[in-house]
Amino acid sequence: MLVVLRDGRKLHGVLRSYDQFANLVLEDTVERIYSGNAFAEKWCGLFLIRGENVVLLGEVDLDQEDDIPLRQVDYHLLDPYHRQEIATKKVNDEAKAKILYEQKGFCKEGGEGDGY
Amino acid sequence: LPLSLLNAAQNKPMLVELKNGETFNGHLVNCDNFMNITLREVYQTNAEGDRFWKVKECYIRGSTIKYLRVPDTLLDAVKEEQTRAREAGKSARGSHISGRGGARGGPIRGGARGRGRGM
């Protein structure tokens, strides 16, 4: 399964169990980050994720996993680029939200802005 | 199930990340159905990872938790405990059920049917 969290993290793991709150137990979890035409993975082990932090989850087609068009690199190499992208995105989103609020009357997010 | 995994993880070391990004590394003392937890011998780190605190005991409200990272060995240990507990429960109940099974069957079935029609 791929689980996307509200802070933008993408976790790949085996879904072991869930409950009525959608709390999840994910086994052999790997955190994957993407940047440009490359991706990187970091092994994280066993996770218990609180349901309210999950945006979505979906089943991964393991056959398609073998044909990923991106090249895999070391996590610590890609991490700075990834963080940069997140920072840029954050700036853009804040600018967007500001414009929408001031010019169009949209409401602001309650301070708990989501990273995805 | 997730919460039963947490309950079975008492006294085990774990990492808790809060919604604000702070991390708490410590041993689980106790937990409840709301995921409120108490930890012992805790190393607290802020979201940026540049400040550290050592805290003897702390209480974390479940609603602030993003996730908990748990040692991988825990899953196997917990599964073993659960199967052992289930088998112990079954053998204890099996001896009682034989007489009462029929009596229980009737009212339960009727109740389920009634609810079904209501929906």
Side-chain angles (χ1 to χ4, degrees), chain A residues 1-3 11-20 22-29 43 45-49 57-59, chain B residues 1-6 68 70-80 82-83 86:
Chain A
M1 290 277 183
L2 161 67
V3 179
L11 302 176
H12 289 250
V14 178
L15 185 65
R16 275 307 191 186
S17 65
Y18 62 90
D19 61 9
Q20 71 264 40
N23 297 326
L24 312 170
V25 173
L26 223 56
E27 194 179 11
D28 292 333
T29 313
W43 192 79
L46 184 57
F47 262 81
L48 196 167
I49 306 174
L57 63 105
E59 186 179 358
Chain B
L1 291 179
L3 282 175
S4 54
L5 178 74
L6 191 57
L68 305 110
V70 141
D72 305 327
T73 45
L74 180 66
L75 191 60
D76 305 316
V78 168
K79 271 196 193 161
E80 265 196 61
Q82 283 185 347
T83 41
R86 243 180 270 154

Side-chain angles (χ1 to χ4, degrees), chain A residues 3-96:
Chain A
V3 179
V4 177
L5 300 185
R6 281 175 67 179
D7 63 1
R9 259 185 267 227
K10 297 158 191 96
L11 302 176
H12 289 250
V14 178
L15 185 65
R16 275 307 191 186
S17 65
Y18 62 90
D19 61 9
Q20 71 264 40
F21 306 109
N23 297 326
L24 312 170
V25 173
L26 223 56
E27 194 179 11
D28 292 333
T29 313
V30 172
E31 181 190 338
R32 207 183 271 188
I33 57 174
Y34 300 88
S35 184
N37 61 355
F39 75 96
E41 294 189 335
K42 178 166 89 168
W43 192 79
C44 297
L46 184 57
F47 262 81
L48 196 167
I49 306 174
R50 194 175 161 89
E52 57 179 322
N53 299 290
V54 173
V55 172
L56 60 89
L57 63 105
E59 186 179 358
V60 174
D61 184 346
L62 293 171
D63 298 324
Q64 293 203 2
E65 278 282 290
D66 298 327
D67 306 319
I68 303 176
L70 309 169
R71 56 196 178 91
Q72 180 158 12
V73 297
D74 271 343
Y75 189 88
H76 61 271
L77 285 180
L78 202 61
D79 197 33
Y81 297 99
H82 179 246
R83 281 181 202 251
Q84 179 105 23
E85 278 178 20
I86 292 180
T88 318
K89 184 163 175 275
K90 190 170 174 209
V91 168
N92 291 342
D93 284 346
E94 279 172 15
K96 238 193 275 177

